[in-house]
Amino acid sequence: MGKHAGPSTRRSRASTGNSADRSRLLLLALGVTATLVAWGFLVRAAIDFGGQARAGASTAWAFTALATLGAACCLFVTLILAGRLVDAFRPPALTVEPRVVVPPGGRRARR
């Protein structure tokens, strides 16, 4: 069956009920939780290091920059994993590509 033959019969990954699907959802949820906790820890560390840097500790500026960069990376990974988790719960009707309606006739008929 070609890709333009009609609606897709692919089922949602979350609706099949396999233990592999459940373990994938669990891993995604744990990944989102772990990266979100790491993000919070790194944000708190960046704030603490920033306070120390303003107080005069020159090496704290480097730790502030590293903690800020790490927090940004953690938040990015969190958003990617959360998107995959939401996509796993999307019903099959939303994953079907809409059909493109082509008007009858060619270029001459459109003039």
Side-chain angles (χ1 to χ4, degrees), residues 10 13 16 20 26 28-29 35 38 43-45 49 56 68 70 72-73 79 83 90 93 97-98 101 106:
R10 183 176 62 134
R13 287 177 236 134
T16 58
L26 180 64
L28 283 173
T35 55
V43 166
R44 180 69 181 167
F49 285 133
T68 303
C73 290
L79 292 174
R90 191 163 288 155
E97 296 180 14
V101 178

Side-chain angles (χ1 to χ4, degrees), residues 18-34 81 85 88-89:
N18 292 340
S19 63
D21 293 333
R22 288 183 183 158
S23 64
R24 181 178 181 269
L25 291 176
L26 180 64
L27 283 176
L28 283 173
L30 288 175
V32 168
T33 304
L81 292 176
L85 186 64
F89 283 106

